[in-house]
Amino acid sequence: MAQHRRPPSPALAGACLALALLGAGARAQEPATSPGDTNVFAGTLKKVHDAGSVTLGYREASFPFSYLVGQRPVGYSIDLCLHVVEEIRKELDDPAVNVAFVKVTPETRIPDLVSGKIDIECGSTTANKERETQVAFSPIMFVAGTKLMVKTSSSYRSYRDLSGKTVVVTAGTTNEKALRALNDKNKLGLNIVTAPDHEQSYAMAASGQADAFATDDALLYGLIARHKAEKDLMVVGGFLSYDPYGLMFRKDDPQMARAVGRTFASMAENRDLIEAYHRWFERRTPSGEEISLPMSAQLSEVFRTMGMDD
């Protein structure tokens, strides 16, 4: 079922472009290390070289960014991470580097990355200044925004209709922070409750334990499509926040930053970025769902600044 999103504000578009240019441009200017020279590897690349594997953090229920089909992590973010892995293999001159997967949640993803339990987080994580004090981000891969999911049989069409009602958010997300700020500013008296992951948040709203579920619009559309619940649930209201996504990796790691930057620049030039978007958002997904969410003008412009032809 086709869904329509209101275009993000010009200020957001400008911020997205600035971040994309900073991430892609600055990294592309620095020279790569010499493949096979183990003396120059540091940070994540040295860790991967020594272990012979790279560990990707995946989410169980961030469809279509990162989710499980059977026991296999798949999704838009997983595809992008696997392209980064290919760049790491080239850098290390080691095509035999293995890929391991570790499940993360919104609350564990940053600690697991910082501690070295995972090397790249492949999920639906908003890149913001607060998080950049702990981790680094790839160039922007998606632009989302907080919206509300409610039952179609309800009378709720905006956050203003939810005064005194129960709204669930997933713990450890930027959506929780945005909703609490909105509640305080407008004195709505919301009963804000949290669940550990998006699937459990969805279940609370679908079952009526919560009157609404607040998270990024693309995730809401994905959850509704995944559960084939278009008749029972819908996404309503304007954007409560805007959230540019990126892949997370450890900060202060210039070799890894260059590898990630080269990956995105190459994917933009080869149009692999737009193909990955089409695969997960505009066509039937490999697991059978169809979101039909056209690429926003803002994300298209971000990809263009990375080198994608019109």
Side-chain angles (χ1 to χ4, degrees):
M1 180 176 68
Q3 304 285 351
H4 301 283
R5 301 198 299 167
R6 187 180 70 190
S9 66
L12 173 68
C16 289
L17 293 177
L19 184 55
L21 288 168
L22 178 63
R27 292 164 191 159
Q29 293 171 3
E30 299 184 64
T33 54
S34 300
D37 187 353
T38 59
N39 292 324
V40 299
F41 295 139
T44 300
L45 266 62
K46 183 178 189 307
K47 178 177 179 291
V48 172
H49 174 270
D50 294 347
S53 67
V54 57
T55 304
L56 306 183
Y58 73 92
R59 299 280 296 280
E60 280 190 319
S62 283
F63 175 84
F65 297 91
S66 180
Y67 66 108
L68 287 176
V69 173
Q71 297 301 311
R72 182 169 62 96
V74 298
Y76 175 67
S77 300
I78 298 293
D79 281 2
L80 299 184
C81 278
L82 291 175
H83 277 273
V84 175
V85 171
E86 284 303 312
E87 181 62 30
I88 291 172
R89 286 171 174 155
K90 289 181 192 175
E91 183 72 2
L92 298 179
D93 195 19
D94 185 0
V97 166
N98 292 319
V99 176
F101 289 96
V102 169
K103 183 182 77 172
V104 297
T105 69
E107 292 185 300
T108 66
R109 56 190 167 183
I110 290 178
D112 284 353
L113 182 65
V114 172
S115 70
K117 185 175 181 179
I118 63 172
D119 299 311
I120 316 172
E121 190 261 348
C122 317
S124 50
T125 299
T126 300
N128 59 30
K129 291 297 182 184
E130 180 180 351
R131 286 172 174 163
E132 285 175 350
T133 63
Q134 302 178 74
V135 299
F137 285 94
S138 71
I140 292 169
M141 64 173 190
F142 193 84
V143 180
T146 305
K147 280 198 172 187
L148 298 166
M149 185 189 79
V150 300
K151 288 189 174 183
T152 55
S153 60
S154 75
S155 61
Y156 310 131
R157 297 297 181 267
S158 163
Y159 71 86
R160 295 179 181 86
D161 301 326
L162 290 165
S163 180
K165 303 299 182 181
T166 297
V167 182
V168 63
V169 292
T170 303
T173 62
T174 55
N175 314 106
E176 178 182 0
K177 184 176 180 179
L179 190 65
R180 293 190 186 281
L182 184 76
N183 185 41
D184 292 343
K185 178 180 178 181
N186 294 279
K187 302 186 183 340
L188 298 171
L190 297 176
N191 175 30
I192 300 173
V193 298
T194 62
D197 61 36
H198 294 318
E199 190 64 37
Q200 292 181 56
S201 295
Y202 170 89
M204 288 185 67
S207 68
Q209 292 176 270
D211 298 291
F213 170 26
T215 196
D216 294 342
D217 59 327
L219 296 173
L220 293 175
Y221 295 140
L223 284 161
I224 291 172
R226 189 110 173 100
H227 287 272
K228 298 179 174 58
E230 290 88 349
K231 292 182 180 180
D232 302 317
L233 297 162
M234 62 182 178
V235 179
V236 299
F239 285 107
L240 310 182
S241 72
Y242 291 108
D243 302 281
Y245 288 179
L247 306 179
M248 281 197 303
F249 57 98
R250 280 179 286 280
K251 65 178 298 186
D252 301 324
D253 190 345
Q255 288 183 3
M256 184 63 174
R258 289 194 292 268
V260 173
R262 286 195 302 273
T263 300
F264 274 73
S266 175
M267 290 188 72
E269 183 177 355
N270 297 333
R271 298 185 67 81
D272 289 335
L273 277 176
I274 196 168
E275 174 59 27
Y277 186 95
H278 290 332
R279 180 187 186 199
W280 292 101
F281 295 96
E282 296 190 302
R283 302 181 192 136
R284 191 174 299 279
T285 68
S287 49
E289 302 83 1
E290 192 168 3
I291 304 176
S292 299
L293 187 65
M295 183 181 294
S296 68
Q298 288 73 27
L299 184 60
S300 179
E301 183 66 10
V302 167
F303 286 174
R304 190 188 65 79
T305 64
M306 286 188 237
M308 187 181 77
D309 293 332
D310 294 331

